[in-house]
Amino acid sequence: MKIGTGPHGPGVLVIEPMGNAGRFLVEAADRLGVRLYAATHEDVHDGYPDWLRAALAGVCATDLTDTPKALADMDAFCRQHAIAGVAPCFELFTPLAALLAERLGLPGNDPRLARAARNKVLMGEAFAAAGVPAPRWAVAHGAAGAHRAAREHGLGWPLVVKPAEQGGSWGVSVVDGPDGLADAVGAARRYTRAHPHGLELDARVLLQEYVPGEEYSCDTVVADGVAYPLPVVAKDTTEGRYRIETGHTCPSGLPAPLVRKVQHTAARAALAVGVRHGIAHTEVKIPPGSDTPYVIETGARLPGDNLCEVVEAATGVSEAAAHLQAVLGLLPDTVPSRTRAASIRFLLPERGGVLRRAVIADLPGTHGEVHLRPGEVVPEPADSACRIGHVVARAETAEQARGLAGRAAARSRVEVG
């Protein structure tokens, strides 16, 4: 669906387009005829890749961590450039996007609830208020409080420990018993400000009941308060203390009735945190022998991990295009145009160090990308920042796509010194 052409298409201000989802927004905007603008910090913009700089019609340089200043700067910029939509892209600034849209009288999310999409403590409260099935949880400020809260709330073991505000599995641990809790709380409290903007983070720690079973994600586009479900995607993670996502496959392989239940639950989660015009990425787990999806968390932004590419390869649906349509107040195009499958696998190091070599196997039906260059530092495998590259496979069925991606990843070579 073409909305505009050349310089005459509607303008959308993206609040921080850096990161994995940015390039999909750029591709979707070009396809729709939408002019993209960015709101960011001047020093962050200096680090943008050339392709992102070239795709932007303009940049609003401000301080996104200073809400009154950012709103004033972006308000003036939007009125000067006749902006017709505001699109959050960076999770921690989704409440700011909701405030700006309300200030401008544009389609946006509910600013009274929007912080719940960024803060996991508020998210837990929002889920409880809306009756969204979710793990039991408690909040702590330190190790002593965490031991007391885990005991008083009867959360049991294993236990998931995570920062109140953060993403990418940063600071998240699964601990088997009380002996590991103090270290897990320390890891969750390690990040006090978000990189690269310096946004101050909630220092509280969330203790979450561990839900056994397989993991899935489901994105939901919401337009004028109406939820449009997207496909359910199966997720693979590492085991042990750190649960790093190692891959995703679309379609999920779940039976149709359970797919619909996951989609319905994800939509309820999105609405519970105030998503009214835009997209939400929701992660769920389904315990063995159960047909109840439990929402682990949701975010009012496009997914990372190249999931936009995976979903579009399998179904023909562009999540980024649907997101732009929703923030412009238009009906999102979420009807699949094909029924195929796609899978992504990430290359993880066995340990941290310095990257010596990374070669991705070239198999028919696959393509890959290396994220780091030789000589760059590879973080310890504790969160998604350690990923060295990825491979995407396309096939007729989910089983075929998953197997092909797995073979390509297994034949790829990574050397860390």
Side-chain angles (χ1 to χ4, degrees):
M1 173 183 171
K2 195 78 169 178
I3 299 174
T5 57
H8 304 295
V12 171
L13 180 69
V14 181
I15 299 185
E16 196 46 84
M18 64 166 290
N20 181 262
R23 72 181 182 92
F24 299 106
L25 277 175
V26 166
E27 293 170 1
D30 183 63
R31 189 183 311 170
L32 294 173
V34 168
R35 294 175 290 122
L36 277 192
Y37 297 83
T40 185
H41 292 194
E42 187 173 351
D43 61 330
V44 175
H45 177 260
D46 289 343
Y48 278 10
D50 291 341
W51 62 263
L52 181 54
R53 288 167 172 266
L56 297 173
V59 176
C60 175
T62 186
D63 181 356
L64 296 173
T65 70
D66 183 340
T67 297
K69 173 177 171 49
L71 286 174
D73 290 345
M74 292 188 295
D75 183 313
F77 183 90
C78 289
R79 295 182 191 281
Q80 177 185 355
H81 295 278
I83 297 298
V86 177
C89 190
F90 196 81
E91 180 170 306
L92 294 173
F93 296 129
T94 53
L96 184 61
L99 289 170
L100 178 62
E102 181 185 53
R103 180 166 173 158
L104 294 168
L106 296 176
N109 295 334
D110 186 342
R112 296 166 299 177
L113 295 171
R115 193 173 172 86
R118 132 181 180 179
N119 186 293
K120 295 176 179 62
V121 175
L122 299 179
M123 186 182 300
E125 294 172 351
F127 287 167
V132 175
R136 294 178 300 151
W137 58 277
V139 65
H141 295 270
H147 280 281
R148 184 171 57 253
R151 183 174 59 254
E152 291 177 352
H153 287 81
L155 299 179
W157 308 96
L159 183 66
V160 182
V161 182
K162 59 178 68 173
E165 293 181 329
Q166 193 50 275
S169 302
W170 289 15
V172 179
S173 305
V174 178
V175 292
D176 293 326
D179 291 345
L181 187 54
D183 287 344
V185 170
R189 289 173 57 86
R190 174 184 172 190
Y191 302 99
T192 59
R193 292 186 179 273
H195 177 79
H197 306 89
L199 180 70
E200 186 175 358
L201 300 174
D202 187 339
R204 292 179 294 175
V205 175
L206 188 77
L207 311 176
Q208 193 176 65
E209 175 187 26
Y210 179 79
V211 178
E214 298 299 320
E215 297 192 45
Y216 302 89
S217 68
C218 180
D219 298 338
T220 309
V221 182
V222 183
D224 200 20
V226 178
Y228 298 84
L230 293 171
V232 178
V233 177
K235 179 196 299 188
D236 293 298
T237 70
T238 56
E239 297 293 329
R241 176 178 175 180
Y242 304 115
R243 304 297 172 94
I244 308 168
E245 294 171 350
T246 59
H248 307 271
T249 302
C250 181
S252 63
L254 290 173
L258 193 48
V259 166
R260 289 192 291 271
K261 184 167 285 192
V262 171
Q263 290 174 323
H264 177 68
T265 302
R268 291 176 60 198
L271 296 173
V273 298
V275 180
R276 299 294 180 265
H277 290 273
I279 196 166
H281 174 69
T282 303
E283 299 174 347
V284 306
K285 292 189 74 174
I286 304 175
S290 170
D291 64 353
T292 299
Y294 288 85
V295 177
I296 305 303
E297 57 188 57
T298 192
R301 42 84 181 167
L302 283 165
D305 283 6
N306 282 61
L307 277 170
C308 289
E309 177 183 0
V310 171
V311 169
E312 186 165 7
T315 67
V317 175
S318 168
E319 296 199 19
H323 180 40
L324 290 174
Q325 289 166 331
V327 301
L328 287 167
L330 304 173
L331 187 68
D333 185 2
T334 60
V335 178
S337 60
R338 56 175 168 262
T339 308
R340 297 197 71 218
S343 185
I344 187 170
R345 287 294 174 271
F346 298 103
L347 305 182
L348 306 182
E350 294 182 357
R351 57 184 175 83
V354 175
L355 182 63
R356 291 179 175 172
R357 185 171 75 112
V359 179
I360 296 179
D362 184 15
L363 299 185
T366 72
H367 66 274
E369 182 179 333
V370 176
H371 305 166
L372 301 176
R373 294 188 298 269
E376 291 190 311
V377 174
V378 177
E380 291 293 329
D383 53 54
S384 59
C386 75
R387 293 167 176 165
I388 294 171
H390 70 263
V391 59
V392 176
R394 304 183 184 204
E396 292 300 320
T397 69
E399 183 178 3
Q400 291 170 346
R402 185 173 181 170
L404 181 56
R407 288 193 296 275
R411 296 181 189 182
S412 299
R413 293 293 174 261
V414 169
E415 294 180 11
V416 176

